[in-house]
Amino acid sequence: MTVSYTAEVATCRRFGCFWKLLGRWRASIYKLIWADLLVFLIAFYATAFLYRYGLWGKGKRIFEDIVDYCRSYAALIPLSFVLGFYVAIIVERWWNQYITVPWPDPLAVYVSALVRGQDEHGRLMRRTIMRYVCLSLTMVLTMISPGIKRRFPTYDFFITTGLLNHNEALIITKMDEKFPKHSKYWMPLMWASSVMTRARKEGRIWDDFSLKSMIDELNKFRAGCNMLTHYDMISVPLVYTQVVTLAVYAYFVAAIFGNQYIGKRDSNIVNYYFPLLSTLEFFFFMGWLKVAETLICPFGDDDDDFELNWVIDRNLQVSYLIVDEMHNDHPTLVRDQYWDEVFPNELPYADESQRQNPPEASTAKLDLSKITSSQLPKRTESDTSERDFTEFDAEDETVKSSELRIKFASLRFNIHRSSSSISMLDNEPSIDQPMAEEGEGDEEETFYESDHLLSRGTSKDDFDRLREERERERHSRQLQHAAMTFDLLKGELKHLPDSANPSDVELPPESPPSDNIPYPSAEHEAQTEKSYMHKMKDQQQ
């Protein structure tokens, strides 16, 4: 299992927290490279003894030429670039392999929530689905992990663990005999999908959307299992691995000769006793290579490899717990302690001294003292008087709260003693409208247009013009409501039954007909309009 040291480096103080990790042995650099370092030092001292006590005359001169050559050209090996790029690829691949390992928890939640039934058959369906899912992942892990393969060498061990039944093992074995070239990890997933479809037909899954959600989650799990097999089959190109390995070992073979002490020609006497800097360099570069060797396959038996045996046990236990023990079960619903105050102002601490101030914005403490009043924008004459544009005295509450403005085509309301009608400006005049009134309408329209142009040319504020425009719209609505009221009164009086009791209905006095259409008297219309205007004023108040 990956060695975790997060708790020891949670808080960094004084000289840092990594010093506490240098004494560890498991998964440490000392454990990885001690054998290689020992071979390096043995080879270094053997070469030194050979030069000092085994060579004479011409042999020493040849050895010194080799030392000069290694010192001059060993730096031409781009070890830092090649090794750093390779390790970056390996680390990224290592993390991607971990996040690819599928977990059955999301599917178990779907199964527990959507496959209904408290009876034994419903419980059997839920447990069987999750058992098939865990079996599929375990079969994949036996293909890519030596440790899991040693735990489950044959199907009999799957039966012993409880992941597989005898009849299911027989079906998979016969399928292996027919198609021996391909792995059969996908068969349990197909069985799980068939059980889901059967639960839908039996009505244990309420709708097709719930079934689709479960199938989609099952496909995500299958995709994760499939990706693990791809990581096992497709490795980092062998050429790159060989280049990195040869570069590291060739560099340190050259370092064995290049760091030798060669007598009077060498002023550095430290290497005569111990190659200190060469040893540190060996630690760094060889340790880097060992990191890549450890992480290139995280499914093995290294200290930093994934603990897959724990994953198998945990998946089956948690899956059964979700779909069986906790199926349709939850604690009693009670009011929380902040029910009356809706939300807590401050949450308590076990140690109140640990309470800290909330984070501030990055400009909260910005120094604004250099901004003087001379740098502020100058106000115009219209800005000298402070106004409150949030309230309009001439508007009712409905107009205040409405921010949506809808512009309709222009309407002209013609209200007469005899009748009322509404006509579009672009249409022909109505029957009730005399031809002589067209000039009046045009004159009124011209008046509004000139008033609008005048308001645009003046120095009025935009809010003032908006208020005047809303005032005109409000008057237009009042006139429209009054016209509609008159039309309703005429219709009611026109369709009054002949058998109605005259004492119950107060009829207006007779007047000369206009266009053969009965209409109420002028006094009645004036009284109705007056009562309507009073009603509108009460609503505005």
Side-chain angles (χ1 to χ4, degrees), residues 197-242:
T197 306
R198 179 179 177 181
R200 175 69 183 103
K201 292 180 180 179
E202 295 179 359
R204 297 182 181 274
I205 301 177
W206 287 347
D207 50 22
D208 294 335
F209 182 77
S210 300
L211 177 61
K212 180 182 180 300
S213 300
M214 296 173 61
I215 296 296
D216 290 343
E217 195 63 37
L218 187 65
N219 279 328
K220 291 180 181 179
F221 192 90
R222 184 209 59 80
C225 294
N226 192 32
M227 186 59 66
L228 289 178
T229 61
H230 292 334
Y231 274 116
D232 181 66
M233 291 185 297
I234 309 299
S235 303
V236 178
L238 180 62
V239 177
Y240 201 1
T241 305
Q242 291 175 343

Side-chain angles (χ1 to χ4, degrees), residues 23-83:
R24 289 195 171 198
W25 174 258
R26 184 169 179 260
S28 65
I29 186 175
Y30 323 116
K31 184 178 180 180
L32 290 176
I33 70 170
W34 71 269
D36 300 87
L37 180 59
L38 182 62
V39 173
F40 173 76
L41 292 177
I42 291 175
F44 181 86
Y45 283 112
T47 306
F49 278 109
L50 177 64
Y51 169 71
R52 294 170 192 174
Y53 306 107
L55 298 176
W56 295 273
K58 186 178 179 180
K60 278 194 174 183
R61 288 194 298 270
I62 295 175
F63 185 87
E64 291 172 356
D65 292 338
I66 295 174
V67 170
D68 292 337
Y69 179 81
C70 292
R71 287 182 181 179
S72 302
Y73 295 99
L76 296 179
I77 301 176
L79 188 60
S80 300
F81 173 76
V82 174
L83 190 57

Side-chain angles (χ1 to χ4, degrees), residues 370-512:
K370 295 182 179 181
I371 301 179
T372 60
S373 58
S374 61
Q375 294 175 325
L376 296 175
K378 296 182 179 180
R379 289 188 175 185
T380 59
E381 295 181 358
S382 59
D383 296 335
T384 54
S385 59
E386 296 183 357
R387 300 183 182 183
D388 185 8
F389 297 107
T390 59
E391 296 182 359
F392 297 100
D393 298 336
E395 291 186 5
D396 52 32
E397 295 296 328
T398 306
V399 177
K400 285 182 183 179
S401 60
S402 177
E403 294 295 336
L404 179 63
R405 300 178 60 192
I406 303 177
K407 186 174 181 180
F408 297 95
S410 302
L411 299 178
R412 180 168 60 239
F413 305 101
N414 300 313
I415 305 173
H416 309 282
R417 295 180 67 257
S418 60
S419 63
S420 61
S421 62
I422 303 174
S423 62
M424 299 293 293
L425 287 175
D426 297 336
N427 296 344
E428 296 181 0
S430 61
I431 300 176
D432 298 337
Q433 179 183 359
M435 296 299 295
E437 292 183 357
E438 288 185 12
E440 296 178 4
D442 296 339
E443 183 177 347
E444 182 180 2
E445 182 179 355
T446 305
F447 170 74
Y448 279 114
E449 290 179 356
S450 61
D451 184 28
H452 179 65
L453 293 174
L454 181 61
S455 63
R456 291 177 60 185
T458 59
S459 61
K460 290 184 178 181
D461 192 82
D462 293 339
F463 287 98
D464 294 336
R465 290 196 296 269
L466 179 61
R467 183 170 60 182
E468 293 176 0
E469 184 180 352
R470 289 185 175 180
E471 182 69 19
R472 288 195 295 269
E473 291 177 357
R474 190 172 64 84
H475 285 301
S476 299
R477 288 198 301 271
Q478 291 178 357
L479 293 175
Q480 185 179 7
H481 293 165
M484 294 174 63
T485 303
F486 295 154
D487 290 338
L488 291 175
L489 288 174
K490 287 192 301 182
E492 291 178 359
L493 294 175
K494 180 178 179 180
H495 298 87
L496 193 68
D498 299 336
S499 60
N501 191 359
S503 60
D504 297 337
V505 180
E506 182 179 355
L507 297 175
E510 294 183 359
S511 59

Side-chain angles (χ1 to χ4, degrees), residues 358-373:
E360 295 182 350
S362 58
T363 59
K365 296 181 180 180
L366 184 64
D367 186 13
L368 303 177
S369 60
K370 295 182 179 181
I371 301 179
T372 60
S373 58

Side-chain angles (χ1 to χ4, degrees), residues 50-286:
L50 177 64
Y51 169 71
R52 294 170 192 174
Y53 306 107
L55 298 176
W56 295 273
K58 186 178 179 180
K60 278 194 174 183
R61 288 194 298 270
I62 295 175
F63 185 87
E64 291 172 356
D65 292 338
I66 295 174
V67 170
D68 292 337
Y69 179 81
C70 292
R71 287 182 181 179
S72 302
Y73 295 99
L76 296 179
I77 301 176
L79 188 60
S80 300
F81 173 76
V82 174
L83 190 57
F85 190 68
Y86 181 76
V87 172
I89 293 176
I90 294 300
V91 171
E92 183 181 2
R93 176 185 170 91
W94 168 76
W95 179 248
N96 289 336
Q97 289 182 78
Y98 176 74
I99 63 178
T100 303
V101 176
W103 298 86
D105 302 33
L107 181 59
V109 173
Y110 273 104
V111 172
S112 179
L114 300 179
V115 180
R116 297 292 178 177
Q118 299 290 348
D119 55 340
E120 185 176 354
H121 187 63
R123 180 189 177 191
L124 178 61
M125 282 187 166
R126 291 190 296 270
R127 292 176 64 94
T128 303
I129 292 174
M130 297 314 302
R131 181 171 61 84
Y132 286 155
V133 169
C134 295
L135 172 63
S136 177
L137 178 60
T138 307
M139 294 175 66
V140 171
L141 295 180
T142 57
M143 299 165 53
I144 64 177
S145 174
I148 304 302
K149 185 64 176 178
R150 288 192 295 266
R151 183 181 178 182
F152 301 98
T154 61
Y155 291 129
D156 295 333
F157 290 87
F158 283 100
I159 297 174
T160 304
T161 311
L163 291 171
L164 198 63
N165 294 333
H166 287 281
N167 59 332
E168 297 166 350
L170 183 61
I171 295 174
I172 298 177
T173 303
K174 290 182 178 180
M175 187 65 69
D176 285 335
E177 294 175 357
K178 292 182 180 179
F179 304 98
K181 294 183 179 181
H182 304 287
S183 61
K184 308 302 183 297
Y185 72 91
W186 44 267
M187 290 185 62
L189 297 179
M190 295 302 301
W191 295 341
S193 64
S194 300
V195 175
M196 293 177 184
T197 306
R198 179 179 177 181
R200 175 69 183 103
K201 292 180 180 179
E202 295 179 359
R204 297 182 181 274
I205 301 177
W206 287 347
D207 50 22
D208 294 335
F209 182 77
S210 300
L211 177 61
K212 180 182 180 300
S213 300
M214 296 173 61
I215 296 296
D216 290 343
E217 195 63 37
L218 187 65
N219 279 328
K220 291 180 181 179
F221 192 90
R222 184 209 59 80
C225 294
N226 192 32
M227 186 59 66
L228 289 178
T229 61
H230 292 334
Y231 274 116
D232 181 66
M233 291 185 297
I234 309 299
S235 303
V236 178
L238 180 62
V239 177
Y240 201 1
T241 305
Q242 291 175 343
V243 167
V244 172
T245 305
L246 290 176
V248 173
Y249 283 97
Y251 180 83
F252 286 107
V253 168
I256 291 175
F257 291 93
N259 294 323
Q260 292 292 336
Y261 179 79
I262 55 177
K264 297 180 180 180
R265 297 172 53 185
D266 198 345
S267 60
N268 187 5
I269 199 172
V270 176
N271 288 338
Y272 183 84
Y273 299 101
F274 182 77
L276 179 61
L277 295 180
S278 297
T279 303
L280 292 177
E281 195 175 34
F282 188 89
F283 256 89
F284 302 146
F285 287 115
M286 188 59 68

